[in-house]
Amino acid sequence: MYRRIFERILWCGLLSAALWCAGSVRAAEDSPAEPDPRPAQDAAAAPDAGAAPDRLWDRANTAYVNGDYAGAIAIYESILDRGLASARLYYNLGNAYFKEDRTGKAILFYRRALRLRPGNEDVRHNLEVAEARTKDDIESIPEFFLTSRLREVRRTMGCTAWSVLSLGFLAAAVACLLLFLLARPLALRKAGFYGTLAAAVLCAAATWFAVLERRGMLRRDEAVVMVASSAVKSSPDRAATDLFVLHEGTVVRVTAELGDWAEIVIADGKKGWIETRKVEVI
């Protein structure tokens, strides 16, 4: 009987974790090969439509090392056009755009990389450097300190890592439960009981973090301003009143869309309308 209970609980946990991260995790883990340290003679050439992704990856990295950032961008983008994506690819694209002084694009791809690798310190550092170049100094609305702290903890790992950790806590909870049910000494039964409670709480927390990270990975309501400057209107009309001006690289939240216009909200709570062609969704 206990064996059946154990198997059912374990399989439920495995199935739940698989469902939470299905689809998005596969793209996040499918990274291109590591850069080849040997220089490629044709690195600056135009991307070959028939070349293998690994070969394009090597050529793009070599072009970047040789200072041909525009060529590296073209090759990296050709890899994206094939439907391939990874945190490493987004990170390299962000670096190349940063070198080309295209701050908006750099921030866009750094943020995409962070969605797949939220705990990557290199990406986070480069993002901070790129955001320091933006002209808009917008103060965020203060939030409860515990909310900020929990978000920091959650972003130390991605959806996959939290899912695996939740399964580990689930296995620990089952083991402690069996100890509580089968052990005869009172001390072991107490240890099993309290261990089950602790592992169950940690399993629930890790599971919730995994769900939140997956939601964050798939959200489509954040965008980056791509033009040098743009006036935000009071309504979706070019003749409407200008409310404020945003510059390249500023991150906004899209709350609604109407034709060629998007209603946005910035970090301090101000909202207005901007043409969709002037922003790009993260």
Side-chain angles (χ1 to χ4, degrees), residues 44-279:
D48 183 1
D54 286 351
R55 184 166 176 266
L56 290 175
W57 176 255
D58 292 342
R59 291 171 56 191
N61 290 328
T62 304
Y64 181 91
V65 171
N66 291 337
D68 182 12
Y69 304 120
I73 290 171
I75 302 174
Y76 285 138
E77 291 281 7
S78 72
I79 298 176
L80 283 180
D81 291 340
R82 297 187 176 197
L84 302 175
S86 71
R88 191 181 305 156
L89 177 57
Y90 288 146
Y91 175 66
N92 285 9
L93 252 175
N95 289 338
Y97 276 119
F98 184 81
K99 292 291 187 180
E100 285 283 285
D101 291 326
R102 299 176 64 179
T103 308
K105 282 286 189 179
I107 291 175
L108 175 72
F109 284 105
Y110 285 148
R111 285 188 169 269
R112 286 179 177 175
L114 270 184
R115 287 195 175 186
L116 301 182
R117 291 286 190 276
N120 191 300
E121 293 299 328
D122 291 335
V123 179
R124 193 169 297 279
H125 171 74
N126 286 12
L127 175 61
E128 291 175 356
V129 173
E131 289 181 335
R133 286 191 174 186
T134 59
K135 295 182 179 180
D136 297 324
D137 185 14
I138 304 173
E139 294 185 3
S140 301
I141 298 176
E143 61 181 2
F144 186 50
F145 77 95
L146 186 58
T147 303
S148 302
R149 183 56 183 166
L150 288 176
R151 185 185 299 111
E152 292 176 2
V153 174
R154 191 189 81 208
R155 289 179 176 175
T156 57
M157 296 189 295
C159 172
T160 306
W162 282 118
S163 298
V164 172
L165 188 60
S166 69
L167 289 178
F169 287 133
L170 176 62
V174 172
C176 291
L177 178 62
L178 292 177
L179 180 64
F180 170 73
L181 294 174
L182 301 178
R184 292 185 178 181
L186 182 59
L188 289 179
R189 289 174 60 86
K190 286 184 177 181
F193 176 76
Y194 291 113
T196 301
L197 291 181
V201 170
L202 292 174
C203 178
T207 299
W208 183 239
F209 284 169
V211 172
L212 293 178
E213 278 303 307
R214 185 175 186 274
R215 287 179 182 175
M217 187 188 304
L218 300 178
R219 64 185 301 183
R220 299 280 298 172
D221 63 342
E222 286 187 327
V224 180
V225 178
M226 289 290 124
V227 294
S229 64
S230 176
V232 179
K233 303 288 186 176
S234 59
S235 63
D237 186 350
R238 293 185 179 179
T241 305
D242 294 347
L243 298 179
F244 50 92
V245 176
L246 294 179
H247 298 85
E248 182 181 6
T250 300
V251 178
V252 300
R253 181 166 59 89
V254 179
T255 57
E257 292 188 25
L258 181 62
D260 296 331
W261 293 83
E263 185 184 45
I264 61 170
V265 178
I266 57 178
D268 61 4
K270 294 180 182 178
K271 65 168 56 178
W273 293 84
I274 191 172
E275 293 179 83
T276 54
R277 65 181 179 83
K278 296 182 179 180
V279 298

Side-chain angles (χ1 to χ4, degrees), residues 14-28:
L14 290 171
L15 180 59
S16 299
L19 291 176
W20 289 324
C21 294
S24 59
V25 173
R26 187 177 297 109

